[in-house]
Structure formats: structure tokens, C-alpha cells
Amino acid sequence: MNQVGRFLAAIFAIGALSATPALAADETDVWLEAEARAAYSDRAVVDGDSIEASGAGVGIDAGFEWKNGRTAIQFDLGAAVFEFTDENRDTRTSTRAVASLARQVADDIAISVSAGHWDDITTLEARRTDQDAIAVEIGYDKRPHRVRASAQYREREYESVTPSRGSGM
């Protein structure tokens, strides 16, 4: 089990303990959202090559949240497909899974932690990128004053091989 897996397990353990008895939620929220997007881009690279990133895609997001008193546990899953107009680029599919735990520790102070995995996200640095991340946020909210501080640690794995098509010997 990697670092993010251990962190996810810790989040769920803390959440289960703080949401007891038996996840009897005060509020439960379930969502399902769909989106469509299109992009136009033409960027010249130093070597004189051109990267064409225009195309269209669709995505779906589903989630579930338990709220019990001052504690909320949330799971969020998403998937997207993007078809490029450039025939030399493969269709891009990406997925993500994120879990978070939020706790209102005082009337005006909240702490949240989250961990997630993103598969095949689009980045400028590489053709495909996988990312694992953990984050923490502490917020103070006493109207009219609001302050939030957050930190995130991420690990990325880049696949930089240029895709090719055709036949050869």
C-alpha cells in the first residue's frame, strides 16, 4: 500500500470513529453531473513542430457525502473522454477518485483532509500523467472575516513517449 493508500485508510478510520454511532447521518447528499466541453488550441513548439490540442469531450462526476453533526465524509468519482481533432493524437480518457473528511472543530474553525488519485490527466509536461495527492485545509470563518490556509503534496508519474501511428518493419 503506497503513501496515499495509507492516508486514505487513515481518513476513513478517523471518519468512521467521528461519525459513530453507525453512520446515522444528519444529512446525506448524492450527486451525478455530466459535462461537455470543446477546446481550440494551436501552439508552436521551439523545434518548429506544432501541437494541435483542439477537440471535444464529455465527462461525468458522481459523489456521495455523509454529514453527522460537525463531521462530513465525501467520496467523489469522475471520468472523462476527450477526442482530439489531430489524427495523430489518441483519444484521452481520464479518471479520478477523491475522498475527504471535514470536521468543524469549533463554531468558526474547520479542518479538512483529502486524498485522491487522478489517472491520465492532461498536463503540458507529458502526454499522460498520473497523480496521487493529499491535502489539508484549515479555515477560520467569523463573518465578516474569513481566512483559509491549505497545503497539498502530490506525486506525478509522467508518460512522455510521443504516440505514433503507422506500420513499419
Side-chain angles (χ1 to χ4, degrees), residues 6-71:
R6 286 190 294 273
F7 189 73
L8 273 171
I11 287 174
F12 295 128
I14 293 167
L17 292 174
S18 63
T20 308
L23 290 176
D26 295 337
E27 273 183 63
T28 303
D29 188 21
V30 178
W31 64 89
L32 179 65
E33 300 171 351
E35 70 175 3
R37 71 175 70 172
Y40 173 78
S41 173
D42 189 16
R43 174 169 111 31
V45 178
V46 176
D47 295 336
D49 293 334
S50 179
I51 296 175
E52 174 60 53
S54 299
V58 294
I60 191 164
D61 183 50
F64 186 80
E65 181 178 52
W66 287 290
K67 289 183 182 176
N68 186 337
R70 294 176 166 259
T71 303

Side-chain angles (χ1 to χ4, degrees), residues 1-20 23 64 66 71-76 97-103 111-118 132-137 151 153:
M1 183 182 283
N2 63 18
Q3 289 177 327
V4 172
R6 286 190 294 273
F7 189 73
L8 273 171
I11 287 174
F12 295 128
I14 293 167
L17 292 174
S18 63
T20 308
L23 290 176
F64 186 80
W66 287 290
T71 303
I73 300 171
Q74 181 175 308
F75 303 96
D76 186 32
V98 180
S100 63
L101 169 67
R103 178 82 174 157
I111 298 174
S112 66
V113 292
S114 63
H117 175 77
W118 291 259
D132 293 308
I134 55 175
V136 63
E137 179 178 282
Y153 173 78

Side-chain angles (χ1 to χ4, degrees), residues 70 102-112 137-143 145 147-149:
R70 294 176 166 259
R103 178 82 174 157
Q104 191 77 31
V105 295
D107 288 340
D108 48 8
I109 298 174
I111 298 174
S112 66
E137 179 178 282
I138 300 172
Y140 171 81
D141 190 350
K142 188 168 186 176
R143 304 294 171 159
H145 308 290
V147 177
R148 287 194 176 95

